[in-house]
Amino acid sequence: MLIKYADLLTANSEITIEKISMEENASLRGAFSEIEKVTWVVNAPREFGVSGVLMRLNRDGKDFEDLRLSWNEDGAYTITLDMEKLGVGLYFYSFVLLRGRDTLFTSSLDNVNFTLSRKMEKSFMLSVYDKDFKTPDWFKGGIMYQIFPDRFHKSGRSKQDRHNAIYLGDWNEPITQYAPYPGAPVENNYFYGGDLYGIADKIDYLRSIGVNTIYLNPIFEAYSNHRYDTADYTKVDETLGGNEALAYLIEKAESAGMRVVLDGVFNHTGDDSIYFNRRGNYGNGGAFKDRNSPYRDWYCFRPDGKYDSWWGIEIMPRLNHYNESCRKYFTGDDGICATHVKNGIGGWRLDVADELCNEFLDDLRRSVKKADPDALIIGEVWENAADKIAYGYRRKYFLGEQLDSVMNYPLRTGIINFLKCGDAEGLARTMTELYACYP
């Protein structure tokens, strides 16, 4: 770690901080396995008048303690911490430079570079993850190609049409459904006819551009064309070709060295579903119509008959994953997530992962990795996932019990700002921070 600037000090010298783990320079890292021992080396030239250095360390949510660094004959201050003794978890730390009455504190810029100030500001982050945390090697360094199935390619095969859908004959015809005002309901029931067989027809093309992972937006039965309002997690939408089409696509992809990752929308269902059935299209059952339905407690109903939904959108009633029956339907050994992995998918991208409770994510990883240790679990997280706080509590995505990785929105933002505004420094800082925070 290298000081970025310090107008408090002299212009021709600098204080540096290095990290060493397993006899290698680890200065750009901030996440370590619990089997590692990490040494910090603080180099403070004599002209700074430093008489001692402390590491001010605290486990997330706990009080800090001051650990004194040892001084060596090379003029450096060092401290070594055993990650196993610290324990799996998230920690924060700063270095305190003692200079008589003029004490200085490090303030992190991006978990690597720092400034100095006369009061504590932003700490460095230290993540200690489970020694058995392993992510799929096949995904590393590859190219993921995202596909919205209805708009990718139409195979021409005969498929089952729906009576409540509008099918557009012209592939280039614009959709004319628009909300009259922001947040107003939109049917989203226009379809162009793309299907999973159509994607399979383009496998050679996808392989030619280097793709090794196909990520599909939701494909399960649903009312809308976006299918984030799932009706039945056991059935691939017949307009996409049904379960047979998914099996065919997986087979074709595997023969080309690719894997298929599905979009898992497990925070909420559709209101028009076998689980909720507000519109009555699934018989007389469902949580909305039948108080005795086995799905009733999967949702949170209020005394006035209204119910919790995703961001207040009524067509997406929110699931109650603290209900064990609901949670196990998805995360049990024979649940939705494990079953589709057993049937050949390469893994899951979890929609709105911030809104899935820890119990759900813990159970999901256990069952999915039991079904296939090489299956991928990616979460939709918009911020730095290493220290994310959602709904009032710290998330533990990268400690080894939940996600393999996340969708990299901070990097996306950095790239866009660089391309549009020339902000190279911002992009460099974003890349440095992510690299220094993620395992």
Side-chain angles (χ1 to χ4, degrees):
M1 302 180 212
L2 181 64
I3 189 168
K4 182 70 175 177
Y5 57 85
D7 55 355
L8 297 168
L9 306 174
T10 63
N12 298 322
S13 301
E14 57 191 14
I15 291 176
T16 63
I17 303 174
E18 300 174 73
K19 288 195 289 259
I20 300 169
S21 176
M22 304 177 80
E23 300 183 349
E24 293 185 354
N25 190 314
S27 298
L28 295 179
R29 294 174 56 198
F32 298 90
S33 167
E34 61 180 327
I35 65 172
E36 295 183 73
K37 292 181 174 65
V38 182
T39 298
W40 282 262
V41 181
V42 179
N43 295 288
R46 288 183 179 180
E47 55 263 39
F48 293 121
V50 175
S51 61
V53 177
L54 304 175
M55 172 186 269
R56 182 158 289 178
L57 174 72
N58 71 284
R59 189 182 182 99
D60 185 36
K62 304 295 183 181
D63 293 335
F64 67 79
E65 61 176 323
D66 285 339
L67 307 175
R68 182 171 291 275
L69 277 68
S70 300
W71 183 81
N72 62 31
E73 295 180 355
D74 296 327
Y77 295 86
T78 67
I79 188 170
T80 298
L81 298 181
D82 186 331
M83 299 297 104
E84 185 175 17
K85 290 182 179 179
L86 278 182
V88 172
L90 180 64
Y91 299 81
F92 297 94
Y93 67 95
S94 299
F95 287 103
V96 183
L97 280 62
L98 305 175
R99 303 199 312 160
R101 290 181 296 175
D102 186 20
T103 300
L104 297 176
F105 300 86
T106 57
S107 179
S108 171
L109 294 172
D110 50 22
N111 219 37
V112 174
N113 299 296
F114 62 94
T115 61
L116 294 174
S117 65
R118 291 191 172 91
K119 62 180 180 179
M120 281 193 64
E121 295 179 342
K122 185 174 176 58
S123 298
F124 294 110
M125 188 193 316
L126 169 66
S127 294
V128 181
Y129 57 86
D130 190 283
K131 63 181 182 299
D132 296 322
F133 183 29
K134 184 178 183 300
T135 57
D137 289 333
W138 61 264
F139 186 66
K140 299 170 185 175
I143 295 176
M144 174 182 274
Y145 194 100
Q146 181 177 355
I147 293 178
F148 189 77
D150 184 59
R151 290 296 284 137
F152 185 71
H153 184 63
K154 188 191 304 187
S155 69
R157 296 196 187 198
S158 176
K159 301 184 294 294
Q160 179 178 321
D161 289 342
R162 283 173 24 196
H163 71 279
N164 55 2
I166 299 170
Y167 294 93
L168 302 175
D170 183 353
W171 188 258
N172 297 311
E173 181 180 349
I175 288 180
T176 56
Q177 284 183 326
Y178 296 99
Y181 57 87
V186 181
E187 285 293 296
N188 289 315
N189 64 337
Y190 278 39
F191 292 83
Y192 288 89
D195 55 25
L196 301 188
Y197 289 116
I199 299 172
D201 290 343
K202 295 294 185 178
I203 286 292
D204 288 343
Y205 161 72
L206 294 171
R207 182 171 57 182
S208 74
I209 59 174
V211 172
N212 77 325
T213 306
I214 299 171
Y215 155 46
L216 301 178
N217 284 113
I219 63 171
F220 298 116
E221 183 178 306
Y223 176 81
S224 73
N225 50 28
H226 56 71
R227 297 187 177 88
Y228 281 92
D229 52 337
T230 310
D232 189 339
Y233 294 96
T234 68
K235 296 180 180 178
V236 174
D237 203 309
E238 290 296 335
T239 61
L240 294 176
N243 291 352
E244 296 79 8
L246 176 59
Y248 180 73
L249 173 58
I250 291 171
E251 181 182 359
K252 290 281 288 185
E254 287 181 346
S255 67
M258 302 181 198
R259 307 209 189 195
V260 177
V261 172
L262 299 187
D263 208 332
V265 187
F266 304 135
N267 174 71
H268 50 268
T269 66
D271 68 331
D272 189 14
S273 66
I274 63 171
Y275 316 99
F276 201 75
N277 197 28
R278 183 165 74 119
R279 307 186 197 187
N281 289 323
Y282 291 87
N284 297 319
F288 185 81
K289 291 186 168 294
D290 181 4
R291 290 181 177 270
N292 296 316
S293 167
Y295 304 125
R296 180 75 179 186
D297 293 336
W298 288 22
Y299 302 90
C300 294
F301 287 92
R302 297 191 283 275
D304 60 2
K306 295 183 178 180
Y307 50 88
D308 291 351
S309 58
W310 183 70
W311 285 64
I313 301 173
E314 291 186 347
I315 66 166
M316 296 178 178
R318 184 173 182 176
L319 288 162
N320 174 22
H321 291 307
Y322 293 106
N323 176 282
E324 186 174 4
S325 170
C326 175
R327 190 170 71 250
K328 294 303 182 185
Y329 177 78
F330 296 97
T331 66
D333 288 348
D334 296 315
I336 292 298
C337 298
T339 295
H340 286 293
V341 169
K342 293 173 186 176
N343 289 338
I345 69 167
W348 293 99
R349 174 268 190 189
L350 303 180
D351 186 55
V352 292
D354 289 341
E355 306 197 27
L356 301 173
C357 64
N358 280 331
E359 292 86 348
F360 185 92
L361 292 175
D362 290 346
D363 288 351
L364 184 149
R365 184 177 184 88
R366 179 194 56 76
S367 63
V368 165
K369 295 296 185 177
K370 181 178 179 180
D372 179 4
D374 228 15
L376 179 70
I377 305 172
I378 293 179
E380 180 195 11
V381 180
W382 283 77
E383 297 82 14
N384 184 329
D387 65 345
K388 178 67 186 285
I389 295 176
Y391 297 93
Y393 68 99
R394 185 85 66 183
R395 306 313 302 260
K396 55 176 186 175
Y397 299 131
F398 286 160
L399 299 183
E401 299 173 341
Q402 295 186 351
L403 305 179
D404 289 321
S405 190
V406 292
M407 301 183 72
N408 221 332
Y409 292 106
L411 179 60
R412 163 189 173 272
T413 300
I415 292 172
I416 291 174
N417 288 340
F418 171 66
L419 294 175
K420 293 180 65 176
C421 309
D423 186 5
E425 184 176 353
L427 175 57
R429 183 165 296 171
T430 296
M431 295 175 67
T432 300
E433 179 177 340
L434 295 176
Y435 188 88
C437 292
Y438 291 4

